[in-house]
Short mmCIF file of all heavy atoms in Angstrom, two decimals:
data_model
loop_
_atom_site.label_atom_id
_atom_site.label_comp_id
_atom_site.label_asym_id
_atom_site.label_seq_id
_atom_site.Cartn_x
_atom_site.Cartn_y
_atom_site.Cartn_z
N SER A 231 17.60 -42.65 -17.22
CA SER A 231 18.73 -43.17 -16.43
C SER A 231 18.30 -44.51 -15.75
O SER A 231 19.09 -45.46 -15.71
CB SER A 231 19.15 -42.23 -15.35
OG SER A 231 19.61 -40.99 -16.01
N LEU A 232 17.08 -44.49 -15.30
CA LEU A 232 16.58 -45.70 -14.63
C LEU A 232 16.49 -46.89 -15.63
O LEU A 232 16.83 -48.03 -15.27
CB LEU A 232 15.26 -45.52 -13.92
CG LEU A 232 15.36 -44.58 -12.63
CD1 LEU A 232 13.85 -44.32 -12.16
CD2 LEU A 232 16.12 -45.27 -11.53
N GLN A 233 15.98 -46.59 -16.84
CA GLN A 233 15.80 -47.66 -17.81
C GLN A 233 17.16 -48.14 -18.28
O GLN A 233 17.37 -49.32 -18.48
CB GLN A 233 15.05 -47.03 -19.03
CG GLN A 233 13.61 -46.73 -18.70
CD GLN A 233 12.79 -47.99 -18.36
OE1 GLN A 233 13.08 -49.14 -18.87
NE2 GLN A 233 11.78 -47.78 -17.55
N LEU A 234 18.17 -47.26 -18.42
CA LEU A 234 19.50 -47.72 -18.83
C LEU A 234 20.09 -48.57 -17.71
O LEU A 234 20.69 -49.67 -18.03
CB LEU A 234 20.44 -46.53 -19.07
CG LEU A 234 21.86 -46.86 -19.45
CD1 LEU A 234 21.95 -47.69 -20.71
CD2 LEU A 234 22.68 -45.55 -19.58
N GLN A 235 20.00 -48.19 -16.48
CA GLN A 235 20.48 -48.95 -15.39
C GLN A 235 19.80 -50.28 -15.28
O GLN A 235 20.33 -51.35 -15.00
CB GLN A 235 20.36 -48.20 -14.06
CG GLN A 235 20.85 -48.94 -12.85
CD GLN A 235 20.82 -48.12 -11.58
OE1 GLN A 235 20.03 -47.15 -11.53
NE2 GLN A 235 21.47 -48.57 -10.54
N LYS A 236 18.44 -50.29 -15.51
CA LYS A 236 17.64 -51.52 -15.54
C LYS A 236 18.15 -52.43 -16.60
O LYS A 236 18.30 -53.63 -16.31
CB LYS A 236 16.18 -51.15 -15.68
CG LYS A 236 15.30 -52.40 -15.81
CD LYS A 236 13.85 -52.04 -16.07
CE LYS A 236 13.02 -53.20 -16.26
NZ LYS A 236 11.63 -52.81 -16.61
N ALA A 237 18.36 -51.99 -17.83
CA ALA A 237 18.81 -52.79 -18.88
C ALA A 237 20.22 -53.44 -18.57
O ALA A 237 20.43 -54.55 -18.86
CB ALA A 237 18.89 -52.01 -20.16
N GLN A 238 21.13 -52.59 -18.02
CA GLN A 238 22.44 -53.06 -17.62
C GLN A 238 22.36 -54.14 -16.60
O GLN A 238 23.00 -55.10 -16.70
CB GLN A 238 23.30 -51.91 -17.21
CG GLN A 238 23.57 -50.90 -18.32
CD GLN A 238 24.37 -49.70 -17.76
OE1 GLN A 238 24.40 -49.44 -16.60
NE2 GLN A 238 24.95 -48.97 -18.68
N LEU A 239 21.55 -53.92 -15.58
CA LEU A 239 21.41 -54.89 -14.49
C LEU A 239 20.73 -56.22 -15.01
O LEU A 239 21.11 -57.33 -14.57
CB LEU A 239 20.61 -54.29 -13.32
CG LEU A 239 21.35 -53.17 -12.61
CD1 LEU A 239 20.33 -52.63 -11.48
CD2 LEU A 239 22.55 -53.64 -11.99
N GLU A 240 19.74 -55.98 -15.93
CA GLU A 240 19.06 -57.20 -16.45
C GLU A 240 20.07 -57.98 -17.25
O GLU A 240 20.06 -59.28 -17.28
CB GLU A 240 17.88 -56.78 -17.27
CG GLU A 240 16.71 -56.28 -16.48
CD GLU A 240 15.52 -55.80 -17.30
OE1 GLU A 240 15.79 -55.67 -18.50
OE2 GLU A 240 14.42 -55.65 -16.82
N GLN A 241 20.91 -57.31 -18.09
CA GLN A 241 21.91 -58.12 -18.85
C GLN A 241 22.87 -58.73 -17.95
O GLN A 241 23.29 -59.93 -18.23
CB GLN A 241 22.57 -57.12 -19.81
CG GLN A 241 23.63 -57.76 -20.75
CD GLN A 241 23.02 -58.77 -21.64
OE1 GLN A 241 21.97 -58.45 -22.21
NE2 GLN A 241 23.61 -59.94 -21.76
N LEU A 242 23.38 -58.02 -16.95
CA LEU A 242 24.27 -58.62 -15.99
C LEU A 242 23.68 -59.80 -15.32
O LEU A 242 24.31 -60.88 -15.08
CB LEU A 242 24.77 -57.59 -15.01
CG LEU A 242 25.81 -58.01 -13.94
CD1 LEU A 242 27.04 -58.52 -14.61
CD2 LEU A 242 26.18 -56.91 -13.01
N LEU A 243 22.41 -59.65 -14.88
CA LEU A 243 21.69 -60.72 -14.22
C LEU A 243 21.58 -62.00 -15.12
O LEU A 243 21.77 -63.11 -14.68
CB LEU A 243 20.35 -60.34 -13.76
CG LEU A 243 19.42 -61.30 -13.04
CD1 LEU A 243 20.10 -61.83 -11.81
CD2 LEU A 243 18.08 -60.72 -12.70
N ALA A 244 21.28 -61.72 -16.38
CA ALA A 244 21.14 -62.85 -17.33
C ALA A 244 22.45 -63.56 -17.50
O ALA A 244 22.53 -64.82 -17.55
CB ALA A 244 20.68 -62.35 -18.65
N ASP A 245 23.54 -62.79 -17.53
CA ASP A 245 24.89 -63.35 -17.68
C ASP A 245 25.20 -64.20 -16.47
O ASP A 245 25.79 -65.23 -16.58
CB ASP A 245 25.93 -62.34 -17.92
CG ASP A 245 25.76 -61.63 -19.29
OD1 ASP A 245 25.04 -62.25 -20.13
OD2 ASP A 245 26.30 -60.54 -19.47
N MET A 246 24.87 -63.63 -15.31
CA MET A 246 25.12 -64.35 -14.03
C MET A 246 24.38 -65.59 -13.97
O MET A 246 24.88 -66.64 -13.62
CB MET A 246 24.71 -63.44 -12.81
CG MET A 246 25.65 -62.19 -12.65
SD MET A 246 27.14 -62.68 -11.72
CE MET A 246 27.79 -61.04 -11.42
N ARG A 247 23.15 -65.60 -14.32
CA ARG A 247 22.27 -66.80 -14.26
C ARG A 247 22.79 -67.83 -15.26
O ARG A 247 22.85 -69.02 -14.91
CB ARG A 247 20.80 -66.46 -14.61
CG ARG A 247 20.12 -65.76 -13.42
CD ARG A 247 18.73 -65.38 -13.80
NE ARG A 247 18.02 -64.80 -12.66
CZ ARG A 247 16.78 -64.24 -12.77
NH1 ARG A 247 16.18 -64.20 -13.95
NH2 ARG A 247 16.19 -63.83 -11.66
N THR A 248 23.18 -67.40 -16.44
CA THR A 248 23.73 -68.35 -17.48
C THR A 248 24.98 -69.06 -16.86
O THR A 248 25.10 -70.25 -16.99
CB THR A 248 23.99 -67.67 -18.76
OG1 THR A 248 22.76 -67.02 -19.27
CG2 THR A 248 24.58 -68.59 -19.78
N GLY A 249 25.85 -68.20 -16.37
CA GLY A 249 27.09 -68.77 -15.77
C GLY A 249 26.77 -69.68 -14.63
O GLY A 249 27.44 -70.79 -14.45
N VAL A 250 25.91 -69.31 -13.75
CA VAL A 250 25.61 -70.13 -12.58
C VAL A 250 24.91 -71.46 -13.06
O VAL A 250 25.24 -72.56 -12.50
CB VAL A 250 24.66 -69.36 -11.57
CG1 VAL A 250 24.13 -70.23 -10.54
CG2 VAL A 250 25.45 -68.21 -10.92
N GLU A 251 23.94 -71.32 -13.89
CA GLU A 251 23.21 -72.54 -14.39
C GLU A 251 24.19 -73.45 -15.11
O GLU A 251 24.23 -74.69 -14.86
CB GLU A 251 22.06 -72.12 -15.31
CG GLU A 251 20.97 -71.42 -14.54
CD GLU A 251 19.89 -70.93 -15.48
OE1 GLU A 251 20.11 -71.14 -16.73
OE2 GLU A 251 18.87 -70.42 -15.09
N PHE A 252 25.04 -72.91 -15.93
CA PHE A 252 26.03 -73.80 -16.61
C PHE A 252 26.99 -74.49 -15.70
O PHE A 252 27.23 -75.66 -15.74
CB PHE A 252 26.85 -72.97 -17.67
CG PHE A 252 27.85 -73.71 -18.38
CD1 PHE A 252 27.52 -74.51 -19.53
CD2 PHE A 252 29.19 -73.71 -17.97
CE1 PHE A 252 28.48 -75.32 -20.18
CE2 PHE A 252 30.10 -74.52 -18.60
CZ PHE A 252 29.77 -75.26 -19.73
N THR A 253 27.47 -73.74 -14.74
CA THR A 253 28.40 -74.31 -13.70
C THR A 253 27.70 -75.36 -12.85
O THR A 253 28.31 -76.42 -12.60
CB THR A 253 28.96 -73.20 -12.84
OG1 THR A 253 29.55 -72.18 -13.68
CG2 THR A 253 30.01 -73.72 -11.85
N GLU A 254 26.47 -75.07 -12.42
CA GLU A 254 25.76 -76.04 -11.58
C GLU A 254 25.45 -77.34 -12.47
O GLU A 254 25.57 -78.47 -11.87
CB GLU A 254 24.42 -75.45 -11.10
CG GLU A 254 24.62 -74.43 -9.97
CD GLU A 254 23.32 -73.80 -9.58
OE1 GLU A 254 22.28 -73.98 -10.27
OE2 GLU A 254 23.30 -73.05 -8.50
N HIS A 255 25.06 -77.15 -13.62
CA HIS A 255 24.85 -78.27 -14.53
C HIS A 255 26.12 -79.00 -14.68
O HIS A 255 26.13 -80.35 -14.77
CB HIS A 255 24.25 -77.89 -15.86
CG HIS A 255 23.96 -78.99 -16.78
ND1 HIS A 255 22.92 -79.89 -16.63
CD2 HIS A 255 24.64 -79.38 -17.92
CE1 HIS A 255 22.98 -80.74 -17.57
NE2 HIS A 255 24.02 -80.48 -18.42
N LEU A 256 27.25 -78.32 -14.97
CA LEU A 256 28.50 -79.03 -15.13
C LEU A 256 28.90 -79.86 -13.89
O LEU A 256 29.35 -80.98 -14.01
CB LEU A 256 29.60 -77.97 -15.45
CG LEU A 256 31.03 -78.51 -15.64
CD1 LEU A 256 31.10 -79.55 -16.81
CD2 LEU A 256 32.03 -77.40 -15.80
N LEU A 257 28.71 -79.25 -12.73
CA LEU A 257 29.10 -79.90 -11.49
C LEU A 257 28.18 -81.11 -11.15
O LEU A 257 28.61 -82.13 -10.58
CB LEU A 257 29.09 -78.93 -10.35
CG LEU A 257 30.17 -77.80 -10.45
CD1 LEU A 257 30.02 -76.84 -9.28
CD2 LEU A 257 31.56 -78.37 -10.44
N THR A 258 26.95 -80.99 -11.57
CA THR A 258 26.02 -82.07 -11.20
C THR A 258 25.89 -83.16 -12.33
O THR A 258 25.66 -84.32 -12.01
CB THR A 258 24.59 -81.52 -10.94
OG1 THR A 258 24.20 -80.80 -12.14
CG2 THR A 258 24.65 -80.54 -9.78
N SER A 259 26.02 -82.79 -13.47
CA SER A 259 25.85 -83.76 -14.63
C SER A 259 27.15 -84.06 -15.37
O SER A 259 27.20 -85.09 -16.10
CB SER A 259 24.84 -83.23 -15.60
OG SER A 259 23.64 -82.90 -15.01
N GLY A 260 28.13 -83.31 -15.25
CA GLY A 260 29.37 -83.56 -16.03
C GLY A 260 30.23 -84.62 -15.35
O GLY A 260 30.19 -84.76 -14.08
N SER A 261 31.04 -85.35 -16.23
CA SER A 261 31.96 -86.29 -15.67
C SER A 261 33.23 -85.51 -15.10
O SER A 261 33.35 -84.33 -15.25
CB SER A 261 32.48 -87.24 -16.77
OG SER A 261 33.13 -86.56 -17.83
N ASP A 262 34.05 -86.28 -14.46
CA ASP A 262 35.23 -85.70 -13.85
C ASP A 262 36.09 -85.12 -14.96
O ASP A 262 36.65 -83.95 -14.80
CB ASP A 262 36.04 -86.79 -13.07
CG ASP A 262 35.24 -87.29 -11.85
OD1 ASP A 262 34.29 -86.53 -11.41
OD2 ASP A 262 35.56 -88.33 -11.35
N LEU A 263 36.26 -85.78 -16.01
CA LEU A 263 37.00 -85.33 -17.07
C LEU A 263 36.50 -84.06 -17.76
O LEU A 263 37.24 -83.06 -18.05
CB LEU A 263 37.18 -86.43 -18.18
CG LEU A 263 38.12 -86.06 -19.35
CD1 LEU A 263 39.58 -85.71 -18.88
CD2 LEU A 263 38.15 -87.21 -20.39
N GLU A 264 35.10 -84.03 -17.94
CA GLU A 264 34.47 -82.81 -18.50
C GLU A 264 34.62 -81.63 -17.57
O GLU A 264 34.83 -80.47 -18.04
CB GLU A 264 33.00 -83.10 -18.69
CG GLU A 264 32.73 -84.09 -19.85
CD GLU A 264 31.23 -84.45 -19.96
OE1 GLU A 264 30.52 -84.26 -18.92
OE2 GLU A 264 30.87 -84.86 -20.97
#
Side-chain angles (χ1 to χ4, degrees):
S231 298
L232 289 175
Q233 291 298 328
L234 178 60
Q235 184 180 13
K236 177 184 176 183
Q238 293 174 346
L239 292 178
E240 287 177 346
Q241 183 62 45
L242 180 60
L243 178 60
D245 293 343
M246 289 279 189
R247 285 176 175 173
T248 301
V250 170
E251 291 174 357
F252 179 81
T253 304
E254 289 178 348
H255 179 72
L256 177 63
L257 293 176
T258 56
S259 303
S261 62
D262 296 340
L263 183 59
E264 289 175 339

